[in-house]
Amino acid sequence: MERFIPTFLQDADNVYRTKHFIVKQVIGIHESDEENNQVLSVDTYYRRTPKRDLAYNMAFQDKVNIDGKRLPSTMYTRTYID
């Protein structure tokens, strides 16, 4: 039997939850010899649904702060998924 892994967990460096979204962060570092180095976050915002909340709750049921929090970055991009 294959194990189901929600899209918001696949390849994620951090996942957290807001009032309306489950947010997946993929973090990268951009190094530059000429400018400041940057921490880039590629964020995907998944609208919260009962099915996604159930998967999130199961994945993070042992966390003290189940909603988690955002990892800081100097730059980010956002994509929204319904």
Side-chain angles (χ1 to χ4, degrees):
M1 181 173 156
E2 282 189 39
R3 185 173 165 203
F4 171 73
I5 299 176
T7 307
F8 62 80
L9 290 177
Q10 295 174 11
D11 301 318
D13 292 310
N14 185 43
V15 177
Y16 66 96
R17 184 164 61 176
T18 69
K19 185 175 180 179
H20 299 290
F21 296 96
I22 295 172
V23 184
K24 171 174 127 175
Q25 284 186 283
V26 178
I27 305 292
I29 298 174
H30 177 260
E31 297 179 26
S32 173
D33 293 333
E34 298 173 7
E35 300 290 332
N36 293 330
N37 295 339
Q38 299 171 331
V39 177
L40 172 66
S41 179
V42 178
D43 302 344
T44 306
Y45 282 67
Y46 296 88
R47 184 168 307 283
R48 287 179 66 172
T49 64
K51 184 178 177 180
R52 286 185 184 135
D53 272 346
L54 177 61
Y56 184 97
N57 288 337
M58 290 176 67
F60 299 109
Q61 63 188 343
D62 294 330
K63 282 191 156 200
V64 173
N65 177 11
I66 195 164
D67 289 330
K69 67 178 193 174
R70 178 174 185 77
L71 293 176
S73 62
T74 53
M75 294 176 38
Y76 66 88
T77 64
R78 285 186 181 185
T79 302
Y80 290 89
I81 307 290
D82 256 342

